[in-house]
Structure formats: C-alpha cells, structure tokens
Amino acid sequence: MNVYECNENQFVENIRRLVDSNNKIIVNRRITLYDDQKYGLSTLPDKEFESYSMIAYRNGYKRTVYAKVPFIDEYHNHLYKENEVLHSSSNLLFPRLFIPYYKVEYSFNIWGNMYLHSFDLLFKSEIKLEKRKIRGNNLLVHVLRFIVPDERIMMLKLPEQVIILDVKKLTRIFE
Amino acid sequence: MPLKVKSIASFVSLEQIVDKLNELGFVLESSAIMVSEGKFWNRMLYIKGEEMVFVSDEIGDTYPKDPVVTIYGLDDTIEKITGVLY
C-alpha cells in the first residue's frame, strides 16, 4: 500500500472530487493528546513567544529561554525559579517546559492507497498573578495555564456524503 | 440546499480574505496555533449560521505567503470567497 501525505488543501480537494464523482468515502479521524516535549519556548515563532513574555525571556529564535520570574506551570504541577532554564539552545529537542498539543490525523483508503493529512494544535497559554501557598507561605506568584483548543477548530469540515469514523489506533499490516 | 466544501491555497493577503469574510457576515469564532508540514500557522475559524470557513495563515515573515482557505458553505458563498482568492 502506498501512503500519500497531503496538506489540508490537497486532502479536502481530493475528497471533494471523489464525492463529486459519486464515490462513497469513509474517512478515519484520530485525535490524540500529546505532552511529549515536542514543542518548547525556544522554537516558537517570535509572535507566539510574546504570549509567554510575562514569565520568560530569550535573545532570539532558537536561543536559550529563561524564567523571568518564579512561576507555577499548573498543567505539569511544577514551580520554576527565576532565571531557571526553560529551554536550552544546546538541547532543543528536550525542553524543560513544554506545550501540550493535540495531534489530528485524517485518512482514507481508496484503490489500495492511503491518503493522509495530519497537523498538531498547540494549547494556548494563560498567565495570571495569583496567591498560592508555597512552602507554608502565602505568596503572589505567576501561574501558567494551558487552555485546550476549541473542539471545532480541530475539525476538517467535510461534505455530508462523507462518513467520518473516529479511531484510536492505526496499524498497518504488510503481507 | 446542501453545503459544499472547497479548499484553496491562495497568494492573496490575509487582510483581503478577512475583509471579504467580514463583508459576507462571517464572525471569527476561535483560533489556535497549528503546526503542519514543519511550519507554524495561525488557524482561524469563521462562522455564519451553518457555514464555516477555516483560514490558516503561516506565522512569521515568510515569503510568499499562501494562506489556506477551506470553505464549507453554499455555492453562492464559495463563489464570492473564491472571487477574491484568484
């Protein structure tokens, strides 16, 4: 079986053409939550890094990121100290502070070939100053929260004639 | 009338696309940072009733920019939006 990777434009248009030619299409959809150190602050584009600028600083893209102030990463239940390295430029593959994301995969099979489109959707950040009890003291501290993306933005809207099946795991069997 | 889909990668600016969507009565419902093909994109969802338009715009100073517009809408809406994309 050949597996063809498509971008969104190609994937949607391929389905539209198949529907227009009266083919019945079943599309598999897999949405998986990951929290695996794939996305750290050093490799975020400048514009996106700005949303973390209250708690972190860096000298440029792919440069080491440091904590500007002490803060709590509520999602991972971790307290970072001021000037602690959050993502080192010498270890870009393994950030210490990382952003959770959903991996969205759409695929369909036709005439023995698989057509696949996938993308990652990153959680948004929200930073607030809150009172927290740290080592017995009530302190005002920055709290970082990761917000789940809107469910609708994870979807590819496909024609009504297309049947979408949600799946958990894709296993390829080669004979 | 059934809604149809159309997806286009266009070289027109994001501003032109958003202006057209606003003119047609679409409202920005949500946005998220998407990573696809090793690039970061701002993915936006515009809604008007049952109709939906997804606009994905690459983040950063890349050139040329080719926002991907995926429309789920009536024939008339698809025609009007694609009018600004070509």
Side-chain angles (χ1 to χ4, degrees):
Chain A
M1 184 205 295
N2 294 321
V3 179
Y4 295 103
E5 208 175 310
C6 308
N7 60 29
E8 178 179 337
N9 163 239
Q10 293 165 334
F11 190 83
V12 172
E13 283 298 292
N14 288 341
I15 286 180
R16 186 184 63 76
R17 287 185 205 114
L18 287 166
V19 168
D20 286 352
S21 58
N22 295 320
N23 279 287
K24 289 263 180 225
I25 301 290
I26 293 176
V27 171
N28 294 319
R29 173 173 60 193
R30 181 166 69 151
I31 300 177
T32 320
L33 173 65
Y34 283 91
D35 191 25
D36 60 358
Q37 296 185 298
K38 189 172 178 185
Y39 299 108
L41 301 191
S42 181
T43 48
L44 279 186
D46 289 336
K47 197 178 158 202
E48 293 321 305
F49 182 78
E50 276 173 27
S51 63
Y52 294 88
S53 60
M54 205 189 287
I55 55 166
Y57 68 95
R58 69 179 189 190
N59 283 331
Y61 176 67
K62 288 194 176 177
R63 303 295 291 270
T64 298
V65 182
Y66 301 91
K68 197 188 265 184
V69 290
F71 70 91
I72 295 169
D73 170 4
E74 200 174 65
Y75 190 87
H76 300 103
N77 196 25
H78 188 87
L79 171 70
Y80 290 93
K81 294 175 198 152
E82 190 176 347
N83 290 326
E84 190 171 339
V85 173
L86 305 177
H87 195 177
S88 169
S89 61
S90 60
N91 205 3
L92 287 174
L93 291 177
F94 299 99
R96 296 192 63 197
L97 170 66
F98 42 93
I99 306 165
Y101 63 97
Y102 276 107
K103 187 169 195 66
V104 182
E105 295 164 283
Y106 280 85
S107 65
F108 65 88
N109 294 295
I110 191 159
W111 304 310
N113 296 316
M114 175 187 272
Y115 295 81
L116 177 76
H117 171 57
S118 70
F119 56 91
D120 296 343
L121 277 179
L122 273 56
F123 282 38
K124 277 187 181 177
S125 63
E126 182 191 76
I127 299 159
K128 284 186 178 169
L129 206 53
E130 292 180 4
K131 250 188 183 167
R132 289 297 172 95
K133 198 164 190 169
I134 300 168
R135 292 177 199 123
N137 300 315
N138 268 324
L139 299 173
L140 209 53
V141 66
H142 287 85
V143 177
L144 166 66
R145 287 196 185 87
F146 287 112
I147 312 292
V148 181
D150 184 340
E151 196 179 322
R152 290 171 301 177
I153 213 152
M154 291 188 217
M155 297 189 304
L156 277 186
K157 200 73 187 155
L158 298 171
E160 284 168 7
Q161 299 92 321
V162 175
I163 299 165
I164 297 175
L165 301 179
D166 285 306
V167 296
K168 184 183 159 197
K169 194 177 172 188
L170 174 75
T171 308
R172 292 191 190 115
I173 298 168
F174 299 95
E175 290 173 3
Chain B
M1 204 173 173
L3 302 180
K4 292 182 177 173
V5 290
K6 178 85 187 161
S7 185
I8 301 159
S10 171
F11 286 109
V12 301
S13 70
L14 178 67
E15 290 74 22
Q16 280 176 275
I17 297 165
V18 170
D19 285 350
K20 190 68 191 178
L21 292 174
N22 291 334
E23 184 192 312
L24 294 173
F26 281 88
V27 175
L28 178 65
E29 279 287 315
S30 67
S31 66
I33 302 306
M34 175 176 83
V35 184
S36 178
E37 302 171 74
K39 300 173 193 167
F40 283 81
W41 306 73
N42 187 18
R43 182 171 171 83
M44 295 159 276
L45 168 62
Y46 287 84
I47 290 183
K48 180 185 157 191
E50 296 255 306
E51 297 180 288
M52 289 180 169
V53 178
F54 295 89
V55 181
S56 299
D57 185 46
E58 196 178 337
I59 295 169
D61 299 325
T62 53
Y63 183 83
K65 280 216 173 195
D66 55 342
V68 176
V69 181
T70 299
I71 311 158
Y72 177 75
L74 298 166
D75 279 336
D76 185 49
T77 305
I78 292 173
E79 202 175 300
K80 282 175 180 161
I81 297 172
T82 51
V84 293
L85 299 177
Y86 291 119

